[in-house]
Amino acid sequence: MAIIEEISAFLQKGRAKNVKALVQQAIDENLDPKAVLNEGLLSGMMIIGEKFKNNEVFVPEVLVAARAMNAGLAILEPKLVEVGNEPVGKAVVGTVKGDLHDIGKNLVVMMLKGAGLEIHDIGVDAEPAAFIDKAEEVGADLICMSALLTTTMPNMQTVVDELKEKGLRDKYIVMVGGAPVNESFAEQIGADYYTPDAATCAEVAKKAVLAN
Ligand code: B12
């Protein structure tokens, strides 16, 4: 089996050690890191997502697959991210309150780093105030929020509303994303940008910060 398919297969079984070793091997063999990400790690995760939806696998299996995904991502990060010298700007990134999904957020972090932004990752299940306090503390340009659950999406609105209440809304570029989020939701809650994936997020973020 080709190495990329093996990565996908081991990820689906939640075998983090094997995933790590194979991602390292792929790097050593000079395979394209984007192919390792998209056709290995992400395609494995998509298969798990589909099985989860159809009740063929359950939370524990998804959790170990996600751990394997994050382990593989950590090995791949230096290849995906070639950071420039001067930071273009600063971004606070987190997954909103009530939401524990971090794979997409971690990818956004990596791509933003690659675009030259200094990142302050506030993790998952982040309180609205945590986004704002961290942004104020570090003098951020951007606030990036991720949500994977329809039930946690409204917490993005809370952050925007609290920014408004504090008179800080115009100080920050607000970006939102995650599988259930879309352009019209972003508009509805008063965010500045939505993008469907992490690579586009980085492109748009860089342009927006430089234009600011
Ligand atoms: C992995 C996973 C889990 C893992 C998470 C582990 C982890 N460390 O992240 C675990 C097992 C913990 C989990 C738990 C749950 N999950 Co879950 N999970 C998934 C799964 C299979 C994959 C998500 C993922 O990582 N995708 C891969 C990443 C790369 O994609 P992504 O996050 O969308 O990110 C991309 C873009 O959206 C974008 N992006 C992401 N963030 C941002 C931010 C910005 C600013 C921008 C611009 C872009 C951007 O860039 C990324 C890549 O380019 C999805 C299925 C799916 N198809 O999404 C379900 C899914 C999200 N989960 C679901 C559910 C229901 C749950 C649970 C409620 C299950 C339960 N009964 O307990 C719990 C909730 C826990 C909680 N409070 O958060 C549902 C949500 C349904 C809904 N409409 O709300 C889904 C859709 C599955 C399903 N079809 O039923 N889950």
Side-chain angles (χ1 to χ4, degrees), residues 42 45-46 48-50 52-53 58-64 66-67 69-70 93-94 98-108 124 143-152 156 175-180 193-201:
L42 283 175
M45 202 66 227
M46 270 169 65
I48 283 291
E50 206 45 41
F52 187 38
K53 195 167 76 186
F58 301 96
V59 169
E61 288 98 322
V62 182
L63 198 54
V64 287
R67 281 198 195 126
M69 169 90 197
N70 276 329
V93 186
D99 201 320
L100 302 175
H101 296 85
D102 70 354
I103 296 171
K105 188 255 314 157
N106 292 346
L107 270 172
V108 165
V124 296
I143 295 178
C144 296
M145 294 182 268
S146 182
L148 265 288
L149 300 172
T150 44
T151 49
T152 58
M156 294 175 155
M175 288 190 81
V176 292
Y193 298 101
Y194 156 80
T195 72
D197 62 70
T200 324
C201 170

Side-chain angles (χ1 to χ4, degrees), residues 80-84 108-117 202 206:
L80 289 172
V81 179
E82 276 162 24
V83 187
V108 165
V109 164
M110 281 182 204
M111 296 298 167
L112 287 175
K113 279 186 191 165
L117 281 116
K206 189 174 179 178

Side-chain angles (χ1 to χ4, degrees), residues 23-181:
V23 171
Q24 188 58 55
Q25 192 187 330
I27 291 171
D28 295 342
E29 289 179 13
N30 280 323
L31 296 186
D32 177 9
K34 283 198 181 125
V36 177
L37 174 66
N38 292 323
E39 290 152 39
L41 297 169
L42 283 175
S43 87
M45 202 66 227
M46 270 169 65
I47 294 168
I48 283 291
E50 206 45 41
K51 288 188 172 166
F52 187 38
K53 195 167 76 186
N54 298 329
N55 290 318
E56 291 165 38
V57 299
F58 301 96
V59 169
E61 288 98 322
V62 182
L63 198 54
V64 287
R67 281 198 195 126
M69 169 90 197
N70 276 329
L73 273 183
I75 306 279
L76 202 57
E77 178 167 6
K79 287 283 153 192
L80 289 172
V81 179
E82 276 162 24
V83 187
N85 298 332
E86 272 297 295
V88 171
K90 295 180 190 173
V92 173
V93 186
T95 302
V96 296
K97 187 172 164 57
D99 201 320
L100 302 175
H101 296 85
D102 70 354
I103 296 171
K105 188 255 314 157
N106 292 346
L107 270 172
V108 165
V109 164
M110 281 182 204
M111 296 298 167
L112 287 175
K113 279 186 191 165
L117 281 116
E118 181 185 306
I119 301 302
H120 298 270
D121 183 351
I122 59 167
V124 296
D125 191 17
E127 293 284 344
F131 284 96
I132 299 171
D133 293 348
K134 185 51 87 177
E136 286 287 283
E137 179 196 324
V138 302
D141 305 280
L142 259 165
I143 295 178
C144 296
M145 294 182 268
S146 182
L148 265 288
L149 300 172
T150 44
T151 49
T152 58
M153 285 163 68
N155 296 329
M156 294 175 155
Q157 167 105 63
T158 312
V159 173
V160 176
D161 289 347
E162 287 191 12
L163 280 171
K164 282 184 191 154
E165 271 165 36
K166 293 189 156 85
L168 298 170
R169 177 62 192 91
D170 294 338
K171 202 170 159 187
Y172 299 107
I173 300 160
V174 176
M175 288 190 81
V176 292
V181 179

Side-chain angles (χ1 to χ4, degrees), residues 176-178 180-196:
V176 292
V181 179
N182 58 32
E183 188 87 56
S184 70
F185 176 77
E187 226 168 85
Q188 183 195 316
I189 67 167
D192 296 303
Y193 298 101
Y194 156 80
T195 72

Side-chain angles (χ1 to χ4, degrees), residues 3 6-26 41 68 71-72 75:
I3 188 167
E6 277 190 79
I7 291 172
S8 168
F10 276 122
L11 183 137
Q12 291 168 52
K13 291 185 195 140
R15 304 261 289 269
K17 269 192 191 155
N18 299 78
V19 169
K20 264 165 121 174
L22 284 167
V23 171
Q24 188 58 55
Q25 192 187 330
L41 297 169
I75 306 279

